[in-house]
Amino acid sequence: MVGQTLNNIDKEKRMERQHTYIFDLNSPAELARLINQDRFLTQAMGGPLAGLPTLPARAKVLDVACGPGGWVLDTALERPDLDVAGIDRSEPMIAYAIARAQAQARTNATFGVMDITQPLDFSDATFDLINARLLLGVLKREAWDAFLDECTRILKPGGILRLIEPDDGGSTNSPTFEHLSSLGMKALWNGGYGFSLNGRTFGMAPELLRKLKQRGYQTALSAFVGDYSHDSPGWADFYHNTEITTPQLRFPLIKAGQLTEEEFDQLYQRELAEMWGDDFTALWHFVIIYGTAPARQPQQQDIHEG
Ligand SMILES: C[S@@+](CC[C@H](N)C(=O)[O-])C[C@H]1O[C@@H](n2cnc3c(N)ncnc32)[C@H](O)[C@@H]1O
């Protein structure tokens, strides 16, 4: 059923409630950035389902905060025998994902608008696999427990929750990229995102791993890294990503008094110029946490006692 929509919030409430995404979820530039980023990250991961056990035919898969739907569509193409759903808060991204699914006649892919900071509109024990990539800038640190409880509720016992998060914004040899990146990371941390003690890293994996173990999951870890240096095929993707993400830091950094408008604009131009250098190097590391859901869903009480 291509184009099916799943809504857990009526239109008026959707308009009223503030979202916590650090970027503009209705911006065409952000949509374009996510199409690009999905492609280069899935490639660096070795494919959409790399590292996972083979799912049985007709297994149900959910991608939370799926953006313009790239991971869902790649998975639905690779495994036409799976039912793959994607949910996201952004109406333009979901409209785009539905249009892509229709154009590709990908009848095993469905998309819907849903807010993952609210109870999810799915029955208990529905999914065999839940995939969640890059929620670092979506959920504030205090929102993660409720989100993981919802994932646990809608996963089948023995189902897999896969969380994929970076530990920083990439390691480069551009002094200006590094400077802006550390200011951006600190601003995020001050804004309530990430679990590191001081904002030096995002600190996602250690805390998410602990939270899954607390809920009775069997866990495993792996990692991947993408090369976005000037001489690598991924450079242009990383460059375009930076071209769109850095300006989105302008307002928060100026508002926080970290930089003046003039300073920010100069740093942004210098960052892009340094990325064009022949000797520019960049690696971006991600940690993947695989959690196998417990046979019995733990009760709230178990979690708070454990
Ligand atoms: C960094 S992007 C990651 C997209 C995708 N998971 C990927 O890795 O390609 C974050 C996504 O979260 C979505 N989002 C933001 N707030 C949300 C919310 N409250 N509920 C659902 N999706 C949300 C945004 O629209 C955006 O598509």
Side-chain angles (χ1 to χ4, degrees), residues 213-272:
K213 288 179 182 170
Q214 234 181 7
R215 287 167 173 75
Y217 282 78
Q218 292 293 320
T219 57
L221 291 172
S222 71
F224 68 95
V225 58
D227 178 7
Y228 306 109
S229 305
H230 193 262
D231 59 359
S232 76
W235 172 83
D237 285 330
F238 192 71
Y239 179 85
H240 290 307
N241 210 41
T242 307
E243 213 179 12
I244 295 172
T245 50
T246 300
Q248 301 195 62
L249 294 173
R250 190 175 192 275
F251 178 70
L253 292 182
I254 292 167
K255 188 172 162 226
Q258 299 268 10
L259 295 171
T260 63
E261 289 183 19
E262 202 177 31
E263 283 167 341
F264 180 90
D265 294 341
Q266 279 174 3
L267 285 171
Y268 175 48
Q269 293 310 323
R270 202 182 307 150
E271 176 185 50
L272 297 182

Side-chain angles (χ1 to χ4, degrees), residues 78-94:
E78 189 171 310
R79 288 289 308 271
D81 56 336
L82 302 180
D83 281 338
V84 195
I87 54 169
D88 198 280
R89 170 99 192 239
S90 163
E91 292 187 17
M93 290 194 207
I94 289 299

